[in-house]
Amino acid sequence: MSANIKKLFISKKVVTETKIFDGGVLVDENGVIEKIVNRNEALRIVKDSGKSVEVIDGGELALMAGVVDSHVHVNEPGRTAWEGFRTATNAAAAGGITTIVDMPLNSIPPTTTLENLKVKASSANGNVYVDVGFWGGVIVGNQDSLQDLVDAGVVGFKCFLCPSGVDEFPNVGVEDLKQAFQALEGTGSVLAFHAELEDDTPCMAKKKAQDPEDYKTYLESRPPKMELDAISLINNFVKTTDVRVHIVHVSSANVVPLLVEARQARLAASHPAWRGGVTAETCHHYLSLSAEEIPKGHSVYKCAPPIREKDNKEKLWAYLLKDDLDMVVSDHSPCTPELKCKNNLEAWGGISSVQFGLSLFWTQAHARGLDLKAISKYLSSGPAHLCGLESQKGALKPGLDADIILFDPNETFVVSSNIIRHKNKLTPYIGKELRGVVKKTYLRGQLIYSDNNIAAEPKGRLLLKNLKI
């Protein structure tokens, strides 16, 4: 059927944040949701419209908003041996993700100036199967570049409080943060933190004397205190600024009460931003894996902050379900195979999982008795709100893009290297059985993935404003 006619998506399981019902989603000629309807209304539309509306019947499959993954490292340009826009967005589409937001590193150049953003956008243009937004970066001395990046449409900014692992993206200190907060005040933007703060103890030197292939050696080199110290520093700024702050990849459950306290203070002061402008994410690996199960010499499990013990994992789940954490993302951070050596202290820290995030989350959520609404809440709506995309993405609502997936919540599959679509077939999930299979993915009402087949040509857009590339 033609792309410029209305479409009616119907299913016995239409899933929103608040309910699951038998009905449909009517999409206009431009790929925008026109209305959400119950089954009787859907039947009337079919009867009254004849062939002027294309009907897509999902049957028993769950019909849901596409996932928004706000934490993805695409690495293009500069480190395209690690990942690229075509491969990352191909994997995303297969995983039911309709929007990714690219982190400002590990590409070369990093997204720390307007010119660097143009270079990255030029690489992405015409090569994305899903829609792509961009984070800007805060590094030492680039405070005068932030307003230009805001004007160009970056969703926010990320900084590191400890070394990032790449020389071109240095971490910031207190004085740098003062300048960044001053530059962002009044912009409505958000400053996101890799929240680990190193102290002066000779921790790493001590660990090098232990077995570096033992995961426990790496885990002890990045204790929860690093996250706690970082959050304490950030909270000091929260008290003196109205700029939104966000904590990426929360690993230690111990930091969550500090974030809740900061959020409640902002809300008590009637801060107008979503969640008081104090938000936090955790990741699929922290909710799916635990330190006790990580085998010796398998650095595919290495990330920073590290995967911690099972008890910590269960506490993260408890905080998420209390809404003390706001969303779950992949932090897809791939690399080439040689960088994942057996030495956990020297190997690259990053986990590749963008294709499997939805199934990873659902495997765990279903086992805990949750229903499909949790997916829409934590994987779609939450990240969309963080990135200022809630009026365009992340939900089945009139006026939003018709980014839709058809999902079988009961089918299972085993992760194997031959089904991986990201560039380097490295992931800690190989051999693991996951629950939930994406059958079809639609972007603005257009089919981009169907039963293991990606669209012939990329149909994604770059979510930027007034940027000439």
Side-chain angles (χ1 to χ4, degrees):
M1 299 285 288
S2 172
N4 60 353
I5 66 168
K6 290 186 177 183
K7 295 179 179 178
L8 178 64
F9 293 80
I10 56 177
S11 167
K12 293 181 179 178
K13 295 179 184 174
V14 178
V15 181
T16 70
E17 274 188 78
T18 57
K19 62 180 179 177
I20 301 173
F21 62 98
D22 185 352
V25 179
L26 182 64
V27 178
D28 72 15
E29 298 88 345
N30 298 312
V32 175
I33 296 173
E34 187 171 304
K35 63 169 68 171
I36 309 298
V37 297
N38 61 35
R39 176 64 66 164
N40 288 336
E41 291 172 306
L43 293 174
R44 281 198 296 272
I45 291 171
V46 173
K47 180 180 179 181
D48 295 343
S49 302
K51 294 184 178 181
S52 64
V53 172
E54 179 184 357
V55 178
I56 296 101
D57 190 346
E60 299 282 349
L61 297 174
L63 191 164
M64 311 168 66
V67 171
V68 178
D69 192 339
S70 56
H71 195 147
V72 177
H73 294 268
V74 177
N75 305 329
E76 185 178 357
R79 289 191 174 93
T80 51
W82 295 20
E83 189 63 282
F85 282 104
R86 279 200 174 235
T87 48
T89 58
N90 183 330
I97 298 167
T98 48
T99 301
I100 66 168
V101 188
D102 176 57
M103 281 291 169
L105 73 164
N106 303 302
S107 58
I108 302 174
T111 318
T112 51
T113 68
L114 183 61
E115 287 305 311
N116 290 359
L117 175 62
K118 289 179 180 179
V119 171
K120 179 173 280 190
S122 294
S123 295
N125 195 35
N127 290 310
V128 295
Y129 289 97
V130 302
D131 285 359
V132 177
F134 297 88
W135 287 93
V138 166
I139 60 172
V140 177
N142 82 323
Q143 65 273 4
D144 292 339
S145 297
L146 305 187
Q147 184 63 57
D148 287 342
L149 288 166
V150 171
D151 294 341
V154 299
V155 303
F157 296 87
K158 182 185 182 182
C159 67
F160 276 72
L161 297 183
C162 63
S164 70
V166 293
D167 293 340
E168 66 276 2
F169 203 93
N171 60 289
V172 294
V174 172
E175 292 305 314
D176 307 304
L177 289 174
K178 289 179 181 178
Q179 293 175 332
F181 275 116
Q182 183 177 2
L184 294 175
E185 195 75 58
T187 64
S189 193
V190 58
L191 183 55
F193 290 83
H194 180 123
E196 288 182 291
L197 195 61
E198 294 181 336
D199 59 25
D200 296 328
T201 58
C203 187
M204 187 58 74
K206 179 182 177 182
K207 292 305 163 192
K208 286 182 178 178
Q210 300 179 18
D211 185 353
E213 293 187 17
D214 188 338
Y215 181 75
K216 185 178 180 182
T217 302
Y218 172 66
L219 177 61
E220 291 178 352
S221 76
R222 301 186 89 103
K225 184 178 185 298
M226 291 179 65
E227 291 186 73
L228 284 164
D229 288 349
I231 298 302
S232 295
L233 173 63
I234 294 163
N235 280 358
N236 289 335
F237 280 100
V238 169
K239 297 171 185 176
T240 62
T241 179
D242 285 329
V243 175
R244 294 161 55 211
V245 299
H246 177 70
I247 311 303
V248 299
H249 48 48
V250 170
S251 163
S252 172
N254 294 345
V255 308
V256 179
L258 295 179
L259 295 171
V260 171
E261 181 181 348
R263 178 185 300 130
Q264 289 174 341
R266 278 269 188 97
L267 290 170
S270 301
H271 194 287
W274 179 66
R275 304 286 283 158
V278 178
T279 54
E281 70 192 35
T282 192
C283 300
H284 300 298
H285 38 274
Y286 302 133
L287 297 177
S288 301
L289 303 171
S290 55
E292 294 90 340
E293 68 187 271
I294 297 177
K296 183 176 181 178
H298 283 64
S299 65
V300 289
Y301 290 85
K302 179 185 177 181
C303 59
I307 297 164
R308 303 193 188 277
E309 295 84 356
K310 183 179 179 180
D311 179 64
N312 181 79
K313 177 181 73 172
E314 296 305 322
K315 288 178 180 177
L316 287 175
W317 269 105
Y319 282 130
L320 180 70
L321 299 185
K322 287 173 57 183
D323 291 340
D324 290 340
L325 293 166
D326 303 285
M327 65 201 73
V328 185
V329 297
S330 72
D331 187 13
H332 178 73
S333 186
C335 67
T336 51
E338 67 271 13
L339 296 178
K340 283 294 191 181
C341 61
K342 290 185 177 182
N343 186 322
N344 281 302
L345 297 181
E346 295 180 358
W348 176 257
I351 289 178
S352 301
S353 66
V354 68
Q355 181 177 343
F356 305 114
L358 171 53
S359 299
L360 286 165
F361 180 81
W362 179 238
T363 300
Q364 294 290 324
H366 180 268
R368 287 167 167 77
L370 304 181
D371 64 28
L372 292 163
K373 297 193 298 292
I375 295 174
S376 294
K377 181 176 183 177
Y378 297 116
L379 273 61
S380 300
S381 179
H385 275 85
L386 167 68
C387 297
L389 298 173
E390 69 275 7
S391 63
Q392 186 180 355
K393 305 286 186 182
L396 298 180
K397 294 179 181 178
L400 274 61
D401 289 347
D403 298 344
I404 291 170
I405 62 172
L406 294 177
F407 179 68
D408 187 337
N410 298 315
E411 186 176 343
T412 62
F413 69 101
V414 175
V415 179
S416 59
S417 58
N418 64 302
I419 69 171
I420 293 174
R421 293 171 177 264
H422 59 256
K423 184 166 287 186
N424 293 289
K425 315 306 180 186
L426 304 172
T427 182
Y429 302 110
I430 288 178
K432 297 186 186 300
E433 184 178 68
L434 302 181
R435 186 182 189 93
V437 174
V438 175
K439 295 297 187 179
K440 297 183 188 296
T441 305
Y442 296 84
L443 185 66
R444 285 180 296 280
Q446 300 299 304
L447 184 66
I448 60 169
Y449 172 82
S450 177
D451 298 313
N452 300 317
N453 294 306
I454 196 73
E457 293 298 327
K459 297 179 181 180
R461 297 176 183 171
L462 307 186
L463 303 178
L464 292 167
K465 297 182 288 188
N466 305 317
L467 185 71
K468 293 181 180 181
I469 56 176

